Amino acid sequence: MTELEKMLEEARLKMAPLKSKYPRVFSKLAYIECEEGWFPLIEDLSANIELYISQHIPLELQDQIHYEQIKQKFGGLRVHMNNFIDRIQGSIMMAESISFRMCEKCGEKATRYNIRNWITTLCPLHYQQALEKKS
Ligand SMILES: [Zn+2]
C-alpha cells in the first residue's frame, strides 16, 4: 500500500460508523475530508437531513439526495449536497457556523488560527501541538 492508499483506507475506516448509521446520505461519499472533532456535528446534521428526507421527500426520490463532499475550508466545515433543498441547506449552514467554535481534532471549544497560511480551528491544546509540529 502506498502512503496515499493508507490515508484513504484510514479515512474510510473512520467514516464507517457514520456511513452505516446514515447509509442514504453517505451513499456516494468515499471519505470525509476533515478531522474527527467535527464528526459529532456531522452526525447530528446527518440525522436532521435523514429525518427531513423521510418526512418530506417522495419515497422514490429519497435515495437521490446525498452528500457530495464534506471537508474543511478556511477553518470551517463545508458540506456539499448533490441537490439544493432550502431546509437542508439551513441545517448545513447551522452546522458550518458551529464548526468555527469547535476544535477540528477533538470537538472542544476552539478559536480560528492562521498557522503559516493554513487556517484551522483548534482548542488551546491542539493549537500548541500544531505549532510544535510545524516549527
Ligand atoms: Zn482540540
Side-chain angles (χ1 to χ4, degrees), residues 4-5 18 21 23 30 36 41 45 56-57 60 70 75 79 100 105-106 115-116 118 126 128-129 135:
L4 179 67
E5 284 170 335
L18 280 173
K21 205 164 172 188
E36 283 165 285
L41 204 51
L45 176 64
H56 300 277
I57 305 293
E60 66 275 19
I70 300 178
V79 176
F100 286 108
K105 291 200 181 285
C106 72
I115 304 173
R116 299 183 188 179
W118 173 245
H126 285 117
Q128 274 312 316
Q129 284 183 3
S135 56

Side-chain angles (χ1 to χ4, degrees), residues 103 105-108 122-123 126:
C103 177
K105 291 200 181 285
C106 72
E108 286 296 311
L122 296 170
C123 67
H126 285 117

Side-chain angles (χ1 to χ4, degrees), residues 16-29 46 50 62-63 65-67:
L18 280 173
K19 194 164 181 163
S20 66
K21 205 164 172 188
Y22 307 101
R24 192 162 45 194
V25 278
F26 277 97
S27 61
K28 300 286 190 290
L29 204 68
S46 304
E50 289 275 2
Q62 289 185 356
D63 62 354
I65 298 161
H66 54 77
Y67 290 132

Side-chain angles (χ1 to χ4, degrees), residues 32-53:
I32 293 175
E33 300 162 71
C34 73
E35 308 232 29
E36 283 165 285
W38 290 345
F39 279 24
L41 204 51
I42 296 167
E43 165 136 31
D44 285 351
L45 176 64
S46 304
N48 282 335
I49 294 174
E50 289 275 2
L51 184 67
Y52 181 82
I53 292 173

